[in-house]
Each structure stands twice: as C-alpha cells, then as structure tokens.
C-alpha cells in the first residue's frame, strides 16, 4: 500500500521561508510568518505540517503546536474556506452576539464548529477579540474584523464572501502592506 505523502514546503513556501530568514533578526521570529504561509497554502495546519515546520525551525513539535494553538487565526483542524468567528464575551454578549450566532447558524444551516457542505464557511464562538468598544464583533479567517454588527451587516458579509468578494488578502499581500508582525 502506498504511504501517504508527508508534508514539506512547496517551492514557493521554501522561497518565502528563505526570504523570511533574511528579514527577521532570529530564526525563532520566523515561526509566526511561516505558520501563516503554510496555512495559507494548505488551509489548515495538519499534524505533519507542524512536525515539518518544527524540524525546519529546530524546535519541538510541542512548541510549534503550543504557539499555533495560542492564536485564533491558526487552524489546527479542517475548516471552511471562510471561518466566521464571533466573540461571545461580555461586551459582545450584551450587544447581541448570541443573536448574531443564531442568525449565522440559521442562514448557513450549520451548528457551531461545523463546515457548510460546500466547504465555504465554518462558524466558531470565540473569546474576546480585543475590540470590545465596537461590539458585537466578528472576524473572518482570523484577520478581517467586522464591528458593530447588525443582522443586515452579517448578511452583507456572507453575501460578499459567497462571491469571494471583499475576502481579506492572503499573507503575501498582508506582509507587503506591513499588516503582519
Ligand atoms: S467582548 Fe467582544 S471584542 Fe471584547
């Protein structure tokens, strides 16, 4: 039986990895950007991609997993193309985040932590997104903030994403904009 192909950087990610090593002062500092690149290419951080990154970074897989699981923008399991994360902490709760979550569930016909059958969306309830003054808040794919949500706004966001419109740019674009640490 043929064994499953193990993850390794694509030529493009390898090129970016080498470039990042020249751009950051220490190898450790490259961990977050390289995890972004791997995720952008594979949609999520598979266990073997984490092992591979650890090997290339001279870190333990446990350390890479620990860092990846700390940040809500990283995906440690398969998710939809667009991950809708709605904050449910106090400010957002008081300003209607439960209604937002219920609306998204009904509109997409999924439960929390599920993926739509077409693979387009998944929905998650998350902790404070650090934008409590503009609650309720939703972020798409860990980057794209939508604040002071209303049901109409949520519908517009979903309508746009269904057409892949206004989807937040990929890592390459973010790094060139300077919006990535
Ligand atoms: S409580 Fe929702 S962003 Fe802080």
């Amino acid at each position: 039986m043929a064994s499953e192909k193990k993850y390794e950087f694509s030529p493009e990610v390898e090129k970016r990895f080498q470039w990042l090593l020249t751009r950051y002062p220490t190898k450790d500092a490259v961990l977050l950007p390289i995890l972004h690149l791997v995720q952008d290419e594979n949609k999520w951080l598979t266990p073997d991609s984490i092992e591979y990154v650890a090997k290339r970074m001279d870190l333990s897989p446990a350390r890479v997993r620990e860092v990846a699981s700390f940040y809500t923008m990283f995906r440690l399991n398969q998710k939809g193309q667009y991950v809708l994360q709605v904050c449910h902490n106090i400010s957002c709760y008081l300003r209607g985040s439960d209604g937002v979550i219920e609306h998204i569930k009904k509109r997409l016909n999924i439960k929390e932590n599920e993926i739509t059958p077409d693979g387009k969306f998944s929905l998650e309830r998350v902790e404070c997104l650090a934008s409590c003054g503009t609650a309720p808040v939703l972020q798409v794919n860990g980057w794209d903030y939508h604040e002071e949500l209303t049901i109409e706004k949520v519908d517009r966001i979903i309508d746009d994403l269904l057409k892949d419109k206004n989807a937040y740019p990929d890592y390459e674009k973010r790094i060139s904009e300077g919006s990535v640490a």
Side-chain angles (χ1 to χ4, degrees):
M1 197 171 73
S3 62
E4 225 173 274
K5 194 173 176 313
K6 283 275 188 198
Y7 176 82
E8 52 187 46
F9 292 159
S10 67
E12 188 50 35
V13 172
E14 180 67 42
K15 204 168 94 193
R16 301 302 295 174
F17 178 58
Q18 296 304 330
W19 176 77
L20 285 165
L21 290 175
T22 65
R23 190 174 188 267
Y24 286 78
T26 64
K27 199 173 180 185
D28 274 13
V30 171
L31 181 56
L32 290 183
I34 197 64
L35 287 175
H36 281 298
L37 283 174
V38 172
Q39 177 169 277
D40 276 353
E41 194 168 65
N42 294 291
K43 309 302 175 210
W44 65 292
L45 298 171
T46 58
D48 69 327
S49 70
I50 284 184
E51 296 224 355
Y52 180 80
V53 169
K55 200 167 106 196
R56 295 297 305 272
M57 295 288 301
D58 302 318
L59 295 168
S60 71
R63 173 67 187 144
V64 176
R65 215 169 294 114
E66 180 187 53
V67 169
S69 61
F70 180 78
Y71 295 98
T72 54
M73 73 274 257
F74 292 123
R75 306 167 176 196
L76 294 172
N77 43 44
Q78 201 154 15
K79 299 187 184 188
Q81 178 185 355
Y82 298 115
V83 183
L84 309 180
Q85 293 179 317
V86 183
C87 168
H88 74 151
N89 281 164
I90 191 71
S91 301
C92 289
Y93 173 76
L94 291 174
R95 302 205 60 200
S97 61
D98 268 2
V100 168
I101 292 171
E102 285 310 309
H103 179 73
I104 295 174
K105 280 161 67 177
K106 218 180 269 172
R107 165 101 198 243
L108 299 178
N109 198 20
I110 53 172
K111 299 193 183 89
E112 289 171 39
N113 304 314
E114 282 187 353
I115 307 174
T116 52
D118 61 0
K120 198 91 180 169
F121 294 99
S122 46
L123 170 65
E124 295 176 358
R125 179 187 288 263
V126 294
E127 302 301 328
C128 183
L129 292 170
S131 188
C132 318
T134 55
V137 179
L138 169 157
Q139 70 175 356
V140 182
N141 288 355
W143 293 100
D144 186 13
Y145 267 59
H146 298 272
E147 296 153 300
E148 297 180 331
L149 291 173
T150 60
I151 297 302
E152 292 71 31
K153 261 192 194 177
V154 171
D155 276 336
R156 270 202 305 277
I157 294 162
I158 293 175
D159 287 342
D160 283 350
L161 293 175
L162 276 168
K163 296 179 223 145
D164 297 318
K165 201 173 127 197
N166 293 335
Y168 202 71
D170 62 14
Y171 185 79
E172 288 289 312
K173 180 120 196 303
R174 295 198 298 269
I175 207 165
S176 68
E177 284 174 343
S179 61
V180 173

